[in-house]
Amino acid sequence: PLRGRFLAHSTYSNYLYNSSPESIKTGGLFNKLDELKHCTSIYKNIDIICITETHLHKDIVDSELSIDGYRFFRKDRNFDIHNLDMTEITSEVSGGGGSIIYVKDTLSCDLAQPFCNKAPDSLAIEVECSIGKLCIACVYRSPNLNSLLNNLLLSCIKDICKESNPYETVLIGDFNLPDISWETGSLKNYSNSTNDKNLLQQLEFMDAFNELGLNWSLVNEITRHRMVQGVLQQSLLDQVLFTNDALVSSVKLLSPLGKSDHVSLKVE
């Protein structure tokens, strides 16, 4: 059974989430794996671990990513993020991106299709619990996605959050929506005359969340601290969204993994 305090205050799971962006050569999950294993020894009741911006690639084999007591599902970046117009089919794959979900080996779960086949840099699983299936999606929305990939990711999110689905859904990850006010569920300082592509894409995601009736946990918290040319930038980029407000009872901000500039989130 799904353990912890995650669903209806009786059969809920604990999740640990971390986004780990750094340079392709020195960052990502691989160089933080020992610390992640240490975290699982401290937080022994963690059932599911979601990590974005893993920066994994085909030369890193599954056996190098194993953690005792868990199995995992990985989604490495499989597209060239620099191919902005997407008018050509290319076999080139740019670095960075990607997501991974670790699941306690006592839990029954499968990949959620077709989300995992279509969603860029993101993946989802369906977990068996006392109320039936629960869909958990680990989402990474790169700020560099072009319109085609942005629309594809948004379409995939809409599909797994439809009211007609035979399961409830939790979305957790780095949505990169810095210009969204989570207090009002709207774009900050929005003007109908704006033609800023990035702002309009953020607005599309927020409008979809509202139309789907999603709830979210974080409002004024800071999940990323980054120094840019000597200036500290603080943003709320990571979020936990869910289709039923009984799904999540608490979200705690924990220390980052390694030198990541994103905090970790412990979700119950």
Side-chain angles (χ1 to χ4, degrees):
L2 202 56
R3 299 187 301 273
R5 299 180 179 176
F6 184 50
L7 200 57
H9 300 291
S10 59
T11 55
Y12 286 127
S13 176
N14 295 323
Y15 303 117
L16 183 67
Y17 163 76
N18 183 257
S19 177
S20 53
E22 289 178 48
S23 70
I24 295 171
K25 292 183 179 179
T26 62
L29 170 64
F30 193 65
N31 291 340
K32 301 179 178 70
L33 198 57
D34 287 342
E35 186 170 351
L36 179 58
K37 292 177 180 178
H38 181 64
C39 285
T40 62
S41 69
I42 296 175
Y43 301 103
K44 297 183 183 297
N45 62 346
I46 296 295
D47 292 316
I48 296 172
I49 303 169
C50 299
I51 299 178
T52 59
E53 287 195 84
T54 53
H55 296 186
L56 300 177
H57 49 79
K58 62 182 180 180
D59 294 329
I60 299 177
V61 299
D62 285 353
S63 60
E64 296 180 274
L65 302 172
S66 63
I67 297 177
D68 288 344
Y70 292 85
R71 56 181 167 142
F72 63 86
F73 304 90
R74 62 189 277 190
K75 175 72 173 287
D76 302 349
R77 175 165 287 173
N78 58 359
F79 58 91
D80 182 3
I81 202 166
H82 304 297
N83 184 16
L84 297 180
D85 56 11
M86 296 292 286
T87 57
E88 301 179 2
I89 302 297
T90 174
S91 60
E92 294 295 320
V93 175
S94 55
S99 298
I100 193 169
I101 300 178
Y102 286 89
V103 184
K104 274 282 182 67
D105 52 20
T106 54
L107 297 179
S108 174
C109 69
D110 292 296
L111 284 172
Q113 305 292 2
F115 184 94
C116 294
N117 288 335
K118 295 181 178 180
D121 281 336
S122 307
L123 76 164
I125 58 173
E126 293 178 359
V127 185
E128 293 287 348
C129 58
S130 61
I131 65 166
K133 286 185 177 179
L134 177 66
C135 181
I136 300 165
C138 181
V139 178
Y140 175 56
R141 175 187 172 269
S142 169
N144 298 317
L145 288 184
N146 60 31
S147 295
L148 187 151
L149 291 176
N150 256 290
N151 292 337
L152 180 58
L153 177 59
L154 186 56
S155 175
C156 290
I157 289 174
K158 289 179 178 178
D159 284 344
I160 63 171
C161 293
K162 290 188 297 188
E163 188 175 355
S164 59
N165 288 340
Y167 51 76
E168 300 288 358
T169 299
V170 176
L171 307 172
I172 186 167
D174 181 357
F175 293 87
N176 272 304
L177 303 174
D179 297 295
I180 291 297
S181 167
W182 294 98
E183 282 189 300
T184 61
S186 61
L187 195 65
K188 301 173 186 175
N189 304 317
Y190 174 65
S191 168
N192 289 326
S193 61
T194 186
N195 58 2
D196 185 304
K197 181 180 178 181
N198 180 44
L199 291 179
L200 292 175
Q201 287 175 342
Q202 293 185 60
L203 180 61
E204 288 177 354
F205 273 78
M206 197 67 241
D207 284 347
F209 297 159
N210 286 319
E211 290 170 6
L212 291 165
L214 298 183
N215 303 282
W216 51 83
S217 295
L218 304 179
V219 177
N220 294 311
E221 293 83 352
I222 302 298
T223 65
R224 188 188 72 170
H225 305 262
R226 172 176 290 185
M227 293 295 297
V228 179
Q229 296 180 343
V231 177
L232 178 61
Q233 292 185 352
Q234 297 180 310
S235 310
L236 172 51
L237 302 183
D238 309 283
Q239 188 58 271
V240 184
L241 301 106
F242 34 96
T243 54
N244 188 319
D245 60 7
L247 289 172
V248 175
S249 61
S250 71
V251 177
K252 296 180 180 178
L253 275 60
L254 305 178
S255 299
L257 282 179
K259 295 181 180 180
S260 172
D261 53 12
H262 287 243
V263 301
S264 301
L265 305 178
K266 184 173 181 289
V267 184
E268 296 186 356

